Amino acid sequence: MEYRQLGRTKEKVSVIGMGCWGLGLSRDTGEWTQEVASLHRGIELGMNLIDTAERYSSGRSEELVGEAVKDCRDDVFIATKVAPPNLRYDAVIRACKDSIKRLGVPHIDLYQIHWPDPTVPIKETMSAMEKLVQDGLVKYIGVSNFSVSETDAARAALAKNEIASNQVEYALSNRSVETDILPYCVREKITLIAYSPLAHGHIARFIPTDILQKYDVTPAQAMLNWVTRKEQVVAIPKAGNIKHQEENASSIAVRFSTADYEKMSSG
Ligand code: NAP
């Protein structure tokens, strides 16, 4: 596994992490066992970045992540999110403590604002985020689905901390962040966490066969390799089964040539 610095921090996160949307959604406890086993396998393979949210499966996703990491807390980097309507000062503090309880950990590594809410002053949300850092409940602050101007406003609202990351949708089949958010993140040393990097499982069928053969990769692996070709990007595919997790973990074993990345981009 390859690791990259998170924002301007000294923290190293795996270039391929594990998204946890949909974990615990099923009522079938057998499926939960499989999801936890899949996370265990990913951790074994060096995927230390785990992304969840208070919203996912009404908190069950965080509980399953907690179950998966209970014997290896120090080996993983846990990112979760506070969602609107919890962006008022007191609500942020309460939501964070609830997430910590569900995760069963002493602190959250990266606490992200899931979506911006223009009805709540960003200064108020960020004051709460800084209080959580000060109290040791959160290590780093991130945002998600923030535009460039919203990220600027979030940064300006922080007194002592920096925005470490912006989590946005980015895949070979959805490249809208390349116009402004990606260049901004590269310039400002903010990690871009690419969500839905496998286009929600709609794996691209248009990747040139010669590239797949040359690097001996599957289409899903080629998509993850491509999306993380820039130093400032890490990706968080969701894999509910071990076979997919293993495939994703080995997707960047070999880097493609610039010409081949360009060929994929223009395909
Ligand atoms: P995704 O990662 O693009 O795709 C997940 C789908 O791809 C699942 O159906 C999965 O199947 C399948 N898959 C995984 N590995 C595969 C492989 N090697 N080959 C073939 N299929 C494979 O979609 P996503 O879940 O929307 O996004 C990933 C994560 O991003 C989420 O879990 C969440 O953490 C985050 N996210 C954040 C936001 C936000 O607003 N911040 C929004 C959406 C998502 P199996 O499960 O059966 O393995």
Side-chain angles (χ1 to χ4, degrees), residues 18-21 51-52 56 81 114-115 144-145 167 194-201 203 218 220 236-241 244-245 247-248:
M18 297 187 278
C20 297
W21 180 83
D51 178 76
T52 181
Y56 295 168
K81 312 181 195 81
H114 205 147
W115 291 91
S144 176
N145 299 300
Q167 183 179 137
Y195 76 66
S196 306
L198 294 172
H200 313 279
I203 310 299
T218 64
I236 46 166
K238 178 255 173 184
N241 74 69
H244 282 163
Q245 205 72 275
E247 196 176 316
N248 298 346

Side-chain angles (χ1 to χ4, degrees), residues 52-70 78 80-83 86 91-92 94-106 108 111:
T52 181
E54 60 169 347
R55 275 270 178 94
Y56 295 168
S57 309
S58 308
R60 188 71 192 127
S61 172
E62 287 184 327
E63 286 171 356
L64 290 178
V65 169
E67 204 174 314
V69 306
K70 67 174 183 285
I78 298 176
T80 191
K81 312 181 195 81
V82 55
N86 284 338
V92 173
R94 197 171 47 241
C96 179
K97 288 180 177 169
D98 287 348
S99 284
I100 281 179
K101 200 182 286 174
R102 282 189 292 268
L103 287 161
V105 296
I108 291 162
Y111 202 38

